[in-house]
Amino acid sequence: MKIVIQRVAEAAVTIDQQIHGQIKQGLLLLVGIGPDDGKEDVDYAVRKITNMRIFSDEQGKMNRSIQDIEGQILSISQFTLFADTKKGHRPAFIGAAPPDLARKCYEELNQGLGAVVPVQTGIFGADMQVSLVNDGPVTILLDTKQK
C-alpha cells in the first residue's frame, strides 16, 4: 500500500461538479493499493497515520498527531501511485491491485481510520477533482511494504 499523506488546512473532493467530501484542518490521503496488500498493511497504515506526529505544537515543532489536533481525514483512492514509468512515455498500471481487492482494502482502511478520527472519502473508481491547501507544505509517502 502506498499512501501520500498531505497535511492540509482544507481539502475537498468534487464529483460531477458536486462536493462529495470536505475537511478543514487534517490530512488528505491519496491511497494506492497493491496486489499483495491485505489486513496487515491496513492495520499498519491506520496505526501510522493516526499516530504520526506531523502537526505543529506551540513551539512550532511537528509534535502532534491528527488525534491530538482533533483533525479530519479526506481519503481518496489513487491507483496511479503504482504507475510504472520505466519504459516508454505512457505509464503502465499493472502494479496496482485488481479493482475488487483494491476496493476492499481501501474500504477497510477508511473504516479503521474512521474508528479513530472523522473520515470523508471520494468514490472508489470515480473521476474526481481534488482541491487542497497544503499546510507547511508537509507531504509524506507511507509505503507499508517498507516497514
Side-chain angles (χ1 to χ4, degrees):
M1 188 176 293
K2 296 180 183 181
I3 304 173
V4 175
I5 303 167
Q6 296 180 314
R7 188 177 79 183
V8 296
E10 61 185 66
V13 60
T14 303
I15 302 169
D16 294 328
Q17 301 178 344
Q18 298 290 318
I19 294 177
H20 184 75
Q22 188 172 19
I23 64 167
K24 293 293 182 189
Q25 185 179 28
L27 299 174
L28 170 65
L29 307 180
L30 303 176
V31 181
I33 309 295
D36 298 331
D37 290 335
K39 181 156 177 41
E40 182 179 320
D41 298 279
V42 168
D43 292 346
Y44 177 77
V46 168
R47 190 171 55 253
K48 291 299 278 189
I49 292 165
T50 58
N51 290 294
M52 192 176 292
R53 298 184 319 175
I54 59 174
F55 291 91
S56 299
D57 62 15
E58 295 79 19
Q59 288 77 41
K61 294 184 181 183
M62 288 197 288
N63 205 21
R64 290 190 171 155
S65 71
I66 186 85
Q67 296 178 77
D68 295 332
I69 66 153
E70 298 179 359
Q72 300 174 309
I73 291 175
L74 177 58
S75 175
I76 307 295
S77 61
Q78 186 81 30
F79 77 94
T80 59
L81 289 173
F82 280 88
D84 182 351
T85 59
K86 291 180 182 154
K87 290 183 176 179
H89 298 286
R90 182 178 305 163
F93 301 106
I94 59 173
D100 289 346
L101 171 62
R103 181 187 306 268
K104 180 179 182 277
C105 283
Y106 175 67
E107 290 173 355
E108 288 175 0
L109 174 70
N110 293 331
Q111 289 171 359
L113 293 168
V116 182
V117 297
V119 174
Q120 298 278 318
T121 66
I123 295 176
F124 184 89
D127 182 18
M128 298 175 272
Q129 290 71 50
V130 179
S131 61
L132 70 131
V133 176
N134 197 324
D135 182 21
V138 174
T139 302
I140 295 169
L141 177 61
L142 174 65
D143 185 338
T144 63
K145 299 302 186 201
Q146 295 182 349
K147 298 175 190 170

PDB file of all heavy atoms in Angstrom, residues 9-44:
ATOM      1  N   ALA A   9      -4.702  22.522   5.393  1.00  0.00           N
ATOM      2  CA  ALA A   9      -5.542  23.479   6.105  1.00  0.00           C
ATOM      3  C   ALA A   9      -6.997  23.251   5.717  1.00  0.00           C
ATOM      4  O   ALA A   9      -7.905  23.500   6.504  1.00  0.00           O
ATOM      5  CB  ALA A   9      -5.114  24.905   5.775  1.00  0.00           C
ATOM      6  N   GLU A  10      -7.200  22.753   4.472  1.00  0.00           N
ATOM      7  CA  GLU A  10      -8.524  22.366   3.992  1.00  0.00           C
ATOM      8  C   GLU A  10      -8.361  21.544   2.730  1.00  0.00           C
ATOM      9  O   GLU A  10      -7.351  21.656   2.035  1.00  0.00           O
ATOM     10  CB  GLU A  10      -9.418  23.573   3.731  1.00  0.00           C
ATOM     11  CG  GLU A  10      -8.869  24.513   2.684  1.00  0.00           C
ATOM     12  CD  GLU A  10      -9.712  25.767   2.526  1.00  0.00           C
ATOM     13  OE1 GLU A  10      -9.767  26.556   3.476  1.00  0.00           O
ATOM     14  OE2 GLU A  10     -10.319  25.920   1.447  1.00  0.00           O
ATOM     15  N   ALA A  11      -9.346  20.728   2.441  1.00  0.00           N
ATOM     16  CA  ALA A  11      -9.333  19.899   1.235  1.00  0.00           C
ATOM     17  C   ALA A  11     -10.765  19.493   0.904  1.00  0.00           C
ATOM     18  O   ALA A  11     -11.621  19.407   1.784  1.00  0.00           O
ATOM     19  CB  ALA A  11      -8.470  18.652   1.433  1.00  0.00           C
ATOM     20  N   ALA A  12     -10.991  19.253  -0.391  1.00  0.00           N
ATOM     21  CA  ALA A  12     -12.315  18.829  -0.836  1.00  0.00           C
ATOM     22  C   ALA A  12     -12.181  17.939  -2.057  1.00  0.00           C
ATOM     23  O   ALA A  12     -11.217  18.050  -2.822  1.00  0.00           O
ATOM     24  CB  ALA A  12     -13.187  20.043  -1.168  1.00  0.00           C
ATOM     25  N   VAL A  13     -13.150  17.064  -2.245  1.00  0.00           N
ATOM     26  CA  VAL A  13     -13.235  16.241  -3.446  1.00  0.00           C
ATOM     27  C   VAL A  13     -14.593  16.498  -4.086  1.00  0.00           C
ATOM     28  O   VAL A  13     -15.629  16.489  -3.415  1.00  0.00           O
ATOM     29  CB  VAL A  13     -13.014  14.738  -3.162  1.00  0.00           C
ATOM     30  CG1 VAL A  13     -14.038  14.184  -2.184  1.00  0.00           C
ATOM     31  CG2 VAL A  13     -13.007  13.935  -4.452  1.00  0.00           C
ATOM     32  N   THR A  14     -14.540  16.760  -5.387  1.00  0.00           N
ATOM     33  CA  THR A  14     -15.743  17.055  -6.154  1.00  0.00           C
ATOM     34  C   THR A  14     -15.936  15.968  -7.199  1.00  0.00           C
ATOM     35  O   THR A  14     -14.974  15.552  -7.853  1.00  0.00           O
ATOM     36  CB  THR A  14     -15.611  18.431  -6.850  1.00  0.00           C
ATOM     37  OG1 THR A  14     -15.357  19.419  -5.846  1.00  0.00           O
ATOM     38  CG2 THR A  14     -16.854  18.799  -7.611  1.00  0.00           C
ATOM     39  N   ILE A  15     -17.171  15.513  -7.347  1.00  0.00           N
ATOM     40  CA  ILE A  15     -17.532  14.503  -8.338  1.00  0.00           C
ATOM     41  C   ILE A  15     -18.764  15.017  -9.076  1.00  0.00           C
ATOM     42  O   ILE A  15     -19.760  15.382  -8.439  1.00  0.00           O
ATOM     43  CB  ILE A  15     -17.819  13.137  -7.670  1.00  0.00           C
ATOM     44  CG1 ILE A  15     -16.593  12.678  -6.873  1.00  0.00           C
ATOM     45  CG2 ILE A  15     -18.230  12.098  -8.706  1.00  0.00           C
ATOM     46  CD1 ILE A  15     -16.828  11.501  -5.960  1.00  0.00           C
ATOM     47  N   ASP A  16     -18.673  15.066 -10.399  1.00  0.00           N
ATOM     48  CA  ASP A  16     -19.782  15.599 -11.213  1.00  0.00           C
ATOM     49  C   ASP A  16     -20.221  16.979 -10.730  1.00  0.00           C
ATOM     50  O   ASP A  16     -21.408  17.258 -10.589  1.00  0.00           O
ATOM     51  CB  ASP A  16     -20.968  14.631 -11.216  1.00  0.00           C
ATOM     52  CG  ASP A  16     -20.642  13.323 -11.920  1.00  0.00           C
ATOM     53  OD1 ASP A  16     -19.836  13.343 -12.877  1.00  0.00           O
ATOM     54  OD2 ASP A  16     -21.191  12.283 -11.508  1.00  0.00           O
ATOM     55  N   GLN A  17     -19.241  17.820 -10.448  1.00  0.00           N
ATOM     56  CA  GLN A  17     -19.443  19.215 -10.036  1.00  0.00           C
ATOM     57  C   GLN A  17     -20.178  19.367  -8.704  1.00  0.00           C
ATOM     58  O   GLN A  17     -20.699  20.426  -8.397  1.00  0.00           O
ATOM     59  CB  GLN A  17     -20.148  20.003 -11.140  1.00  0.00           C
ATOM     60  CG  GLN A  17     -19.356  20.000 -12.430  1.00  0.00           C
ATOM     61  CD  GLN A  17     -20.066  20.730 -13.558  1.00  0.00           C
ATOM     62  OE1 GLN A  17     -21.260  20.996 -13.511  1.00  0.00           O
ATOM     63  NE2 GLN A  17     -19.297  21.062 -14.585  1.00  0.00           N
ATOM     64  N   GLN A  18     -20.198  18.303  -7.902  1.00  0.00           N
ATOM     65  CA  GLN A  18     -20.813  18.335  -6.574  1.00  0.00           C
ATOM     66  C   GLN A  18     -19.752  17.957  -5.543  1.00  0.00           C
ATOM     67  O   GLN A  18     -19.046  16.962  -5.714  1.00  0.00           O
ATOM     68  CB  GLN A  18     -21.977  17.342  -6.472  1.00  0.00           C
ATOM     69  CG  GLN A  18     -23.118  17.614  -7.427  1.00  0.00           C
ATOM     70  CD  GLN A  18     -23.893  18.865  -7.048  1.00  0.00           C
ATOM     71  OE1 GLN A  18     -24.168  19.121  -5.876  1.00  0.00           O
ATOM     72  NE2 GLN A  18     -24.248  19.660  -8.056  1.00  0.00           N
ATOM     73  N   ILE A  19     -19.666  18.738  -4.466  1.00  0.00           N
ATOM     74  CA  ILE A  19     -18.721  18.392  -3.395  1.00  0.00           C
ATOM     75  C   ILE A  19     -19.196  17.102  -2.738  1.00  0.00           C
ATOM     76  O   ILE A  19     -20.330  17.000  -2.276  1.00  0.00           O
ATOM     77  CB  ILE A  19     -18.601  19.522  -2.361  1.00  0.00           C
ATOM     78  CG1 ILE A  19     -17.952  20.750  -3.019  1.00  0.00           C
ATOM     79  CG2 ILE A  19     -17.786  19.052  -1.156  1.00  0.00           C
ATOM     80  CD1 ILE A  19     -17.841  21.948  -2.109  1.00  0.00           C
ATOM     81  N   HIS A  20     -18.304  16.120  -2.729  1.00  0.00           N
ATOM     82  CA  HIS A  20     -18.636  14.818  -2.143  1.00  0.00           C
ATOM     83  C   HIS A  20     -18.056  14.677  -0.736  1.00  0.00           C
ATOM     84  O   HIS A  20     -18.639  14.022   0.120  1.00  0.00           O
ATOM     85  CB  HIS A  20     -18.119  13.691  -3.030  1.00  0.00           C
ATOM     86  CG  HIS A  20     -18.493  12.334  -2.542  1.00  0.00           C
ATOM     87  ND1 HIS A  20     -19.772  11.832  -2.677  1.00  0.00           N
ATOM     88  CD2 HIS A  20     -17.788  11.394  -1.873  1.00  0.00           C
ATOM     89  CE1 HIS A  20     -19.816  10.633  -2.131  1.00  0.00           C
ATOM     90  NE2 HIS A  20     -18.631  10.347  -1.633  1.00  0.00           N
ATOM     91  N   GLY A  21     -16.877  15.249  -0.511  1.00  0.00           N
ATOM     92  CA  GLY A  21     -16.234  15.201   0.792  1.00  0.00           C
ATOM     93  C   GLY A  21     -15.432  16.465   0.989  1.00  0.00           C
ATOM     94  O   GLY A  21     -14.864  17.000   0.042  1.00  0.00           O
ATOM     95  N   GLN A  22     -15.395  16.957   2.237  1.00  0.00           N
ATOM     96  CA  GLN A  22     -14.699  18.209   2.510  1.00  0.00           C
ATOM     97  C   GLN A  22     -14.240  18.207   3.960  1.00  0.00           C
ATOM     98  O   GLN A  22     -14.995  17.793   4.844  1.00  0.00           O
ATOM     99  CB  GLN A  22     -15.656  19.367   2.249  1.00  0.00           C
ATOM    100  CG  GLN A  22     -15.052  20.719   2.309  1.00  0.00           C
ATOM    101  CD  GLN A  22     -16.055  21.781   1.842  1.00  0.00           C
ATOM    102  OE1 GLN A  22     -17.258  21.565   1.812  1.00  0.00           O
ATOM    103  NE2 GLN A  22     -15.538  22.933   1.482  1.00  0.00           N
ATOM    104  N   ILE A  23     -13.005  18.670   4.189  1.00  0.00           N
ATOM    105  CA  ILE A  23     -12.484  18.764   5.554  1.00  0.00           C
ATOM    106  C   ILE A  23     -11.799  20.113   5.747  1.00  0.00           C
ATOM    107  O   ILE A  23     -11.429  20.778   4.789  1.00  0.00           O
ATOM    108  CB  ILE A  23     -11.493  17.629   5.887  1.00  0.00           C
ATOM    109  CG1 ILE A  23     -10.232  17.707   5.024  1.00  0.00           C
ATOM    110  CG2 ILE A  23     -12.167  16.268   5.790  1.00  0.00           C
ATOM    111  CD1 ILE A  23      -9.085  16.832   5.506  1.00  0.00           C
ATOM    112  N   LYS A  24     -11.630  20.455   6.994  1.00  0.00           N
ATOM    113  CA  LYS A  24     -10.800  21.608   7.360  1.00  0.00           C
ATOM    114  C   LYS A  24      -9.439  21.030   7.754  1.00  0.00           C
ATOM    115  O   LYS A  24      -8.934  20.159   7.079  1.00  0.00           O
ATOM    116  CB  LYS A  24     -11.448  22.411   8.486  1.00  0.00           C
ATOM    117  CG  LYS A  24     -12.725  23.096   8.047  1.00  0.00           C
ATOM    118  CD  LYS A  24     -12.438  24.176   7.016  1.00  0.00           C
ATOM    119  CE  LYS A  24     -13.702  24.895   6.609  1.00  0.00           C
ATOM    120  NZ  LYS A  24     -13.497  25.787   5.495  1.00  0.00           N
ATOM    121  N   GLN A  25      -8.872  21.452   8.843  1.00  0.00           N
ATOM    122  CA  GLN A  25      -7.530  21.019   9.231  1.00  0.00           C
ATOM    123  C   GLN A  25      -7.459  19.507   9.390  1.00  0.00           C
ATOM    124  O   GLN A  25      -8.303  18.897  10.058  1.00  0.00           O
ATOM    125  CB  GLN A  25      -7.115  21.685  10.538  1.00  0.00           C
ATOM    126  CG  GLN A  25      -5.685  21.376  10.927  1.00  0.00           C
ATOM    127  CD  GLN A  25      -5.282  22.052  12.216  1.00  0.00           C
ATOM    128  OE1 GLN A  25      -6.109  22.320  13.070  1.00  0.00           O
ATOM    129  NE2 GLN A  25      -4.003  22.305  12.358  1.00  0.00           N
ATOM    130  N   GLY A  26      -6.456  18.907   8.743  1.00  0.00           N
ATOM    131  CA  GLY A  26      -6.285  17.466   8.851  1.00  0.00           C
ATOM    132  C   GLY A  26      -5.349  16.919   7.810  1.00  0.00           C
ATOM    133  O   GLY A  26      -4.356  17.552   7.465  1.00  0.00           O
ATOM    134  N   LEU A  27      -5.701  15.738   7.293  1.00  0.00           N
ATOM    135  CA  LEU A  27      -4.849  15.038   6.336  1.00  0.00           C
ATOM    136  C   LEU A  27      -5.629  14.678   5.083  1.00  0.00           C
ATOM    137  O   LEU A  27      -6.765  14.188   5.169  1.00  0.00           O
ATOM    138  CB  LEU A  27      -4.307  13.741   6.954  1.00  0.00           C
ATOM    139  CG  LEU A  27      -3.442  13.884   8.198  1.00  0.00           C
ATOM    140  CD1 LEU A  27      -3.117  12.500   8.773  1.00  0.00           C
ATOM    141  CD2 LEU A  27      -2.155  14.645   7.893  1.00  0.00           C
ATOM    142  N   LEU A  28      -5.004  14.904   3.943  1.00  0.00           N
ATOM    143  CA  LEU A  28      -5.501  14.388   2.677  1.00  0.00           C
ATOM    144  C   LEU A  28      -4.659  13.163   2.367  1.00  0.00           C
ATOM    145  O   LEU A  28      -3.427  13.242   2.346  1.00  0.00           O
ATOM    146  CB  LEU A  28      -5.351  15.422   1.561  1.00  0.00           C
ATOM    147  CG  LEU A  28      -5.630  14.904   0.151  1.00  0.00           C
ATOM    148  CD1 LEU A  28      -7.088  14.501  -0.001  1.00  0.00           C
ATOM    149  CD2 LEU A  28      -5.253  15.949  -0.878  1.00  0.00           C
ATOM    150  N   LEU A  29      -5.314  12.030   2.143  1.00  0.00           N
ATOM    151  CA  LEU A  29      -4.620  10.793   1.811  1.00  0.00           C
ATOM    152  C   LEU A  29      -4.928  10.411   0.376  1.00  0.00           C
ATOM    153  O   LEU A  29      -6.093  10.345  -0.010  1.00  0.00           O
ATOM    154  CB  LEU A  29      -5.083   9.644   2.721  1.00  0.00           C
ATOM    155  CG  LEU A  29      -5.028   9.853   4.227  1.00  0.00           C
ATOM    156  CD1 LEU A  29      -5.532   8.605   4.941  1.00  0.00           C
ATOM    157  CD2 LEU A  29      -3.632  10.224   4.683  1.00  0.00           C
ATOM    158  N   LEU A  30      -3.890  10.149  -0.403  1.00  0.00           N
ATOM    159  CA  LEU A  30      -4.024   9.563  -1.730  1.00  0.00           C
ATOM    160  C   LEU A  30      -3.566   8.123  -1.565  1.00  0.00           C
ATOM    161  O   LEU A  30      -2.397   7.871  -1.250  1.00  0.00           O
ATOM    162  CB  LEU A  30      -3.180  10.321  -2.751  1.00  0.00           C
ATOM    163  CG  LEU A  30      -3.484  11.809  -2.870  1.00  0.00           C
ATOM    164  CD1 LEU A  30      -2.515  12.480  -3.840  1.00  0.00           C
ATOM    165  CD2 LEU A  30      -4.924  12.037  -3.292  1.00  0.00           C
ATOM    166  N   VAL A  31      -4.480   7.174  -1.744  1.00  0.00           N
ATOM    167  CA  VAL A  31      -4.259   5.783  -1.343  1.00  0.00           C
ATOM    168  C   VAL A  31      -4.172   4.871  -2.564  1.00  0.00           C
ATOM    169  O   VAL A  31      -5.129   4.749  -3.329  1.00  0.00           O
ATOM    170  CB  VAL A  31      -5.411   5.301  -0.429  1.00  0.00           C
ATOM    171  CG1 VAL A  31      -5.168   3.857   0.010  1.00  0.00           C
ATOM    172  CG2 VAL A  31      -5.585   6.225   0.763  1.00  0.00           C
ATOM    173  N   GLY A  32      -3.017   4.230  -2.732  1.00  0.00           N
ATOM    174  CA  GLY A  32      -2.820   3.240  -3.779  1.00  0.00           C
ATOM    175  C   GLY A  32      -2.690   1.861  -3.163  1.00  0.00           C
ATOM    176  O   GLY A  32      -1.949   1.677  -2.192  1.00  0.00           O
ATOM    177  N   ILE A  33      -3.402   0.899  -3.724  1.00  0.00           N
ATOM    178  CA  ILE A  33      -3.395  -0.471  -3.195  1.00  0.00           C
ATOM    179  C   ILE A  33      -2.669  -1.378  -4.187  1.00  0.00           C
ATOM    180  O   ILE A  33      -2.961  -1.354  -5.382  1.00  0.00           O
ATOM    181  CB  ILE A  33      -4.832  -0.999  -2.993  1.00  0.00           C
ATOM    182  CG1 ILE A  33      -5.692  -0.020  -2.191  1.00  0.00           C
ATOM    183  CG2 ILE A  33      -4.827  -2.387  -2.376  1.00  0.00           C
ATOM    184  CD1 ILE A  33      -5.267   0.203  -0.774  1.00  0.00           C
ATOM    185  N   GLY A  34      -1.742  -2.183  -3.660  1.00  0.00           N
ATOM    186  CA  GLY A  34      -1.009  -3.131  -4.484  1.00  0.00           C
ATOM    187  C   GLY A  34      -1.622  -4.522  -4.397  1.00  0.00           C
ATOM    188  O   GLY A  34      -2.434  -4.808  -3.502  1.00  0.00           O
ATOM    189  N   PRO A  35      -1.237  -5.417  -5.299  1.00  0.00           N
ATOM    190  CA  PRO A  35      -1.835  -6.759  -5.353  1.00  0.00           C
ATOM    191  C   PRO A  35      -1.525  -7.625  -4.130  1.00  0.00           C
ATOM    192  O   PRO A  35      -2.250  -8.578  -3.845  1.00  0.00           O
ATOM    193  CB  PRO A  35      -1.253  -7.368  -6.624  1.00  0.00           C
ATOM    194  CG  PRO A  35      -0.019  -6.590  -6.903  1.00  0.00           C
ATOM    195  CD  PRO A  35      -0.249  -5.215  -6.358  1.00  0.00           C
ATOM    196  N   ASP A  36      -0.468  -7.306  -3.387  1.00  0.00           N
ATOM    197  CA  ASP A  36      -0.096  -8.085  -2.207  1.00  0.00           C
ATOM    198  C   ASP A  36      -0.568  -7.450  -0.899  1.00  0.00           C
ATOM    199  O   ASP A  36      -0.200  -7.909   0.178  1.00  0.00           O
ATOM    200  CB  ASP A  36       1.425  -8.261  -2.156  1.00  0.00           C
ATOM    201  CG  ASP A  36       1.959  -9.026  -3.351  1.00  0.00           C
ATOM    202  OD1 ASP A  36       1.210  -9.869  -3.900  1.00  0.00           O
ATOM    203  OD2 ASP A  36       3.111  -8.771  -3.761  1.00  0.00           O
ATOM    204  N   ASP A  37      -1.363  -6.397  -0.986  1.00  0.00           N
ATOM    205  CA  ASP A  37      -1.817  -5.706   0.219  1.00  0.00           C
ATOM    206  C   ASP A  37      -2.985  -6.434   0.864  1.00  0.00           C
ATOM    207  O   ASP A  37      -3.824  -7.020   0.179  1.00  0.00           O
ATOM    208  CB  ASP A  37      -2.219  -4.261  -0.105  1.00  0.00           C
ATOM    209  CG  ASP A  37      -1.011  -3.400  -0.461  1.00  0.00           C
ATOM    210  OD1 ASP A  37       0.109  -3.735  -0.030  1.00  0.00           O
ATOM    211  OD2 ASP A  37      -1.195  -2.396  -1.168  1.00  0.00           O
ATOM    212  N   GLY A  38      -3.012  -6.373   2.198  1.00  0.00           N
ATOM    213  CA  GLY A  38      -4.070  -7.045   2.947  1.00  0.00           C
ATOM    214  C   GLY A  38      -4.244  -6.428   4.317  1.00  0.00           C
ATOM    215  O   GLY A  38      -3.843  -5.288   4.562  1.00  0.00           O
ATOM    216  N   LYS A  39      -4.823  -7.197   5.220  1.00  0.00           N
ATOM    217  CA  LYS A  39      -5.158  -6.705   6.558  1.00  0.00           C
ATOM    218  C   LYS A  39      -3.944  -6.170   7.311  1.00  0.00           C
ATOM    219  O   LYS A  39      -4.037  -5.150   7.991  1.00  0.00           O
ATOM    220  CB  LYS A  39      -5.844  -7.801   7.369  1.00  0.00           C
ATOM    221  CG  LYS A  39      -6.235  -7.326   8.756  1.00  0.00           C
ATOM    222  CD  LYS A  39      -7.351  -8.125   9.338  1.00  0.00           C
ATOM    223  CE  LYS A  39      -7.713  -7.725  10.745  1.00  0.00           C
ATOM    224  NZ  LYS A  39      -7.742  -6.307  11.027  1.00  0.00           N
ATOM    225  N   GLU A  40      -2.812  -6.843   7.191  1.00  0.00           N
ATOM    226  CA  GLU A  40      -1.605  -6.382   7.884  1.00  0.00           C
ATOM    227  C   GLU A  40      -1.213  -4.977   7.411  1.00  0.00           C
ATOM    228  O   GLU A  40      -0.833  -4.123   8.220  1.00  0.00           O
ATOM    229  CB  GLU A  40      -0.454  -7.360   7.644  1.00  0.00           C
ATOM    230  CG  GLU A  40       0.821  -6.983   8.365  1.00  0.00           C
ATOM    231  CD  GLU A  40       1.941  -7.983   8.123  1.00  0.00           C
ATOM    232  OE1 GLU A  40       1.673  -9.199   8.107  1.00  0.00           O
ATOM    233  OE2 GLU A  40       3.081  -7.527   7.944  1.00  0.00           O
ATOM    234  N   ASP A  41      -1.312  -4.723   6.103  1.00  0.00           N
ATOM    235  CA  ASP A  41      -0.990  -3.405   5.556  1.00  0.00           C
ATOM    236  C   ASP A  41      -1.983  -2.358   6.036  1.00  0.00           C
ATOM    237  O   ASP A  41      -1.602  -1.234   6.387  1.00  0.00           O
ATOM    238  CB  ASP A  41      -0.980  -3.456   4.025  1.00  0.00           C
ATOM    239  CG  ASP A  41       0.067  -4.405   3.498  1.00  0.00           C
ATOM    240  OD1 ASP A  41       1.248  -4.022   3.434  1.00  0.00           O
ATOM    241  OD2 ASP A  41      -0.299  -5.553   3.170  1.00  0.00           O
ATOM    242  N   VAL A  42      -3.266  -2.723   6.051  1.00  0.00           N
ATOM    243  CA  VAL A  42      -4.311  -1.809   6.511  1.00  0.00           C
ATOM    244  C   VAL A  42      -4.070  -1.434   7.970  1.00  0.00           C
ATOM    245  O   VAL A  42      -4.068  -0.250   8.330  1.00  0.00           O
ATOM    246  CB  VAL A  42      -5.711  -2.435   6.328  1.00  0.00           C
ATOM    247  CG1 VAL A  42      -6.773  -1.619   7.059  1.00  0.00           C
ATOM    248  CG2 VAL A  42      -6.050  -2.567   4.850  1.00  0.00           C
ATOM    249  N   ASP A  43      -3.848  -2.424   8.829  1.00  0.00           N
ATOM    250  CA  ASP A  43      -3.640  -2.172  10.251  1.00  0.00           C
ATOM    251  C   ASP A  43      -2.410  -1.295  10.480  1.00  0.00           C
ATOM    252  O   ASP A  43      -2.436  -0.370  11.301  1.00  0.00           O
ATOM    253  CB  ASP A  43      -3.496  -3.486  11.021  1.00  0.00           C
ATOM    254  CG  ASP A  43      -4.789  -4.288  11.056  1.00  0.00           C
ATOM    255  OD1 ASP A  43      -5.866  -3.736  10.732  1.00  0.00           O
ATOM    256  OD2 ASP A  43      -4.716  -5.491  11.387  1.00  0.00           O
ATOM    257  N   TYR A  44      -1.334  -1.596   9.768  1.00  0.00           N
ATOM    258  CA  TYR A  44      -0.103  -0.803   9.884  1.00  0.00           C
ATOM    259  C   TYR A  44      -0.362   0.650   9.468  1.00  0.00           C
ATOM    260  O   TYR A  44       0.037   1.589  10.168  1.00  0.00           O
ATOM    261  CB  TYR A  44       0.997  -1.431   9.023  1.00  0.00           C
ATOM    262  CG  TYR A  44       2.288  -0.657   9.011  1.00  0.00           C
ATOM    263  CD1 TYR A  44       3.173  -0.719  10.082  1.00  0.00           C
ATOM    264  CD2 TYR A  44       2.630   0.136   7.919  1.00  0.00           C
ATOM    265  CE1 TYR A  44       4.368  -0.008  10.067  1.00  0.00           C
ATOM    266  CE2 TYR A  44       3.818   0.844   7.895  1.00  0.00           C
ATOM    267  CZ  TYR A  44       4.686   0.773   8.966  1.00  0.00           C
ATOM    268  OH  TYR A  44       5.859   1.479   8.943  1.00  0.00           O
TER     269      TYR A  44
END
